[in-house]
Amino acid sequence: MSKNVVIVGTQWGDEGKGKVVDLITDRVSSVVRFQGGHNAGHTLVINGNKTILHLIPSGILRRQVECLIAHGVVLSMSALIKELSELSAIGVKEVHSRLKISSGCPLIMPYHVVLDKARELKRGKAAIGTTGNGIGPAYEDKVARRGLRVGDLLNTQVFAQKLKEVMEYHNFVLTHYYAVEALDYDEVLAQSLEQAQTVVPMITDVTQKIHQHIANNENILFEGAQGALLDIDQGTYPFVTSSNTTSGGAVTGSGVGVMDIDYVLGIVKAYTTRVGGGPFPTELVYDVEADKGDAIGKVLGTAGREFGATTGRQRRCGWLDMVTLKHSFKLNSVTGICLTKLDVLDSLDTIKICVAYELNGKQITTPPHDVQGYADAKPIYIEIPGWKTSTVGIDSFGNLPQQAQDYIYKIEELSSLPVDILSTGPDRNETLILNHPFDK
Ligand code: GDP
Ligand code: IMO
Ligand code: MG
């Protein structure tokens, strides 16, 4: 029986989704990206060789896999072309022929990037800390029904006309509201038409393709970007991204039916990280540049190499937070957990898990309703003894130190979900598949 599996981040992104997508794509015919854009940074390490993917699905390194970018993804042609040339430079074969792009993808245009940056600057201290890649403004144009889409590239005249109208609007906002320079219409048009030559041959009816694969009984993997707590509706608004990062996004963003999803793999980092602004109740504040702050925060950031795969920014680190995680498991209908980066905890004497918050003198076990509640929430922890020995690349569950097994059992008990995959190192082969999502 074929299966459709969705992989989602359950925290604030960077849980290790890319690694796991790459790992289990040996069992699929196609991998689908369904939301977000090149704000994502998905790291694959194969025999020590590192590749970071932003827009292209993490199945691309497996030669038999077709990579689909569905209409839920916002597509920057510049970012795509850069990534294509990076992949060809490292010798990845048949990328152009294996990559298919939906005509419905909203285009991220140069003015979206300028708007994103101008807006962040204007927000000052309240900045969201976006990737500056134009993600938010491109999704705004989609919802405002004025955006350009990949399919518009098929008719140069129509594209030129639509671009004129939308640039008139954005240039007005840029110059009058943000007091920055307008972009030149002719330049943007010429650049877009040049880039279109690469993109147009890849245009495909992605939704139909997915339906065909399902009819042919082929396994499909849906690759989420970001994490549930960055979801536009359910995340820590306004410190979120602009798409639905939860598993429902796989349905709306690709055209597969709700009942066609068989399994949702929730990727959980063994601690928590966040990059950018916004509340983070279990944060252990440490500033890498000043080398000041919490000692455990430093250990997590250093051992976990917690620097953004897209922007290079330091990721904020903290303890595992079961309050947000349990909520996240419900939002995503998580079937099983993939626990990553367990090895990063190897040197710790004691490990904490947040099991509740104290908010306004009361103990709560579900997330606060708004961002202020998150900011005021004080974590309540349980403590687990550390194992103080290396788990890197461990080859069986039984060979894990007892304390590490206990940490995993505790997570299973608190979440009432099984840990189906365990990752103890960045490399593809540093992974234990306890229950394969395509077999369950
Ligand atoms: P994604 O955005 O969810 O795909 O995750 P990122 O690639 O942005 O960040 C995860 C980082 O952790 C990358 O540098 C991975 O190579 C690395 N990584 C993934 N799994 C493990 C693991 O189990 N242990 C360690 N030490 N590193 C890991
Ligand atoms: P992956 O797929 C971590 C964060 C940004 C910022 C907020 C909004 O690698 O897990 P945006 O540019 O999307 O408007 O920024 O979302 N963010 C991510 N954080 N991992 C990501 O992707 C992220 N994509 C966006 O840092 O706080
Ligand atoms: Mg990432």
Side-chain angles (χ1 to χ4, degrees), residues 13-15 17 39-43 309-310 315:
D14 304 326
E15 297 88 351
K17 299 173 291 293
N39 48 352
H42 295 178
T43 313
T310 296
R315 295 178 184 146

Side-chain angles (χ1 to χ4, degrees), residues 40-44 51-61 83 87:
H42 295 178
T43 313
L44 282 50
T51 309
I52 300 178
L53 296 164
H54 300 285
L55 192 52
I56 296 178
S58 299
I60 199 73
L61 299 191
E83 206 166 319
L87 288 175

Side-chain angles (χ1 to χ4, degrees), residues 326-343:
K326 280 164 77 173
H327 186 59
S328 181
F329 295 150
K330 291 201 184 108
L331 296 175
N332 286 294
S333 287
V334 167
T335 318
I337 292 172
C338 167
L339 188 68
T340 63
K341 304 192 88 159
L342 185 75
D343 55 297

Side-chain angles (χ1 to χ4, degrees), residues 12-15 17 39-42 116 128-133 135-136 225-226 230 240-242 275-277 313:
W12 279 290
D14 304 326
E15 297 88 351
K17 299 173 291 293
N39 48 352
H42 295 178
D116 192 358
I128 289 163
T130 70
T131 57
N133 286 345
I135 306 293
Q226 291 81 51
L230 289 170
V240 291
T241 191
S242 297
V275 57
R313 291 177 293 175

Side-chain angles (χ1 to χ4, degrees), residues 74-282:
V74 279
L75 188 119
S76 153
M77 291 194 283
S78 314
L80 180 76
I81 290 166
K82 182 164 176 273
E83 206 166 319
L84 286 169
S85 74
E86 284 167 3
L87 288 175
S88 103
I90 58 165
V92 183
K93 299 272 182 298
E94 295 163 20
V95 178
H96 287 250
S97 58
R98 287 189 290 128
L99 185 62
K100 320 264 181 235
I101 300 172
S102 166
S103 59
C105 291
L107 285 169
I108 300 183
M109 299 295 288
Y111 43 84
H112 292 135
V113 177
V114 177
L115 270 168
D116 192 358
K117 291 179 178 159
R119 213 172 269 172
E120 283 284 275
L121 209 62
K122 200 167 172 92
R123 276 181 154 249
K125 279 210 166 86
I128 289 163
T130 70
T131 57
N133 286 345
I135 306 293
Y139 274 119
E140 285 168 39
D141 270 5
K142 163 183 168 166
V143 177
R145 296 168 292 189
R146 64 170 164 253
L148 289 160
R149 311 209 297 178
V150 164
D152 292 323
L153 298 167
L154 291 166
N155 185 326
T156 305
Q157 269 175 348
V158 172
F159 183 83
Q161 181 53 35
K162 284 190 181 174
L163 181 68
K164 197 162 196 64
E165 281 165 30
V166 80
M167 278 194 71
E168 248 169 49
Y169 172 75
H170 285 308
N171 274 336
F172 182 85
V173 175
L174 283 173
T175 50
H176 286 77
Y177 187 72
Y178 292 107
V180 298
E181 253 180 64
L183 277 82
D184 184 78
Y185 168 75
D186 292 324
E187 265 176 40
V188 175
L189 179 63
Q191 187 196 39
S192 305
L193 295 180
E194 161 80 31
Q195 294 172 330
Q197 292 178 25
T198 306
V199 177
V200 164
M202 296 177 187
I203 297 179
T204 304
D205 188 335
V206 167
T207 298
Q208 280 304 332
K209 267 251 170 244
I210 295 171
H211 293 173
Q212 269 166 20
H213 288 314
I214 294 174
N216 295 341
N217 251 320
E218 294 168 33
N219 288 336
I220 307 175
L221 190 58
F222 294 83
E223 175 180 7
Q226 291 81 51
L229 304 174
L230 289 170
D231 184 278
I232 182 70
D233 293 305
Q234 292 284 351
T236 47
Y237 189 91
F239 298 96
V240 291
T241 191
S242 297
S243 64
N244 283 115
T245 58
T246 38
S247 57
V251 172
T252 53
S254 78
V256 75
V258 178
M259 304 307 280
D260 286 322
I261 304 297
D262 300 292
Y263 178 105
V264 179
L265 183 66
I267 315 289
V268 179
K269 198 180 274 194
Y271 49 100
T272 312
T273 61
R274 164 160 217 172
V275 57
F280 180 175
T282 63

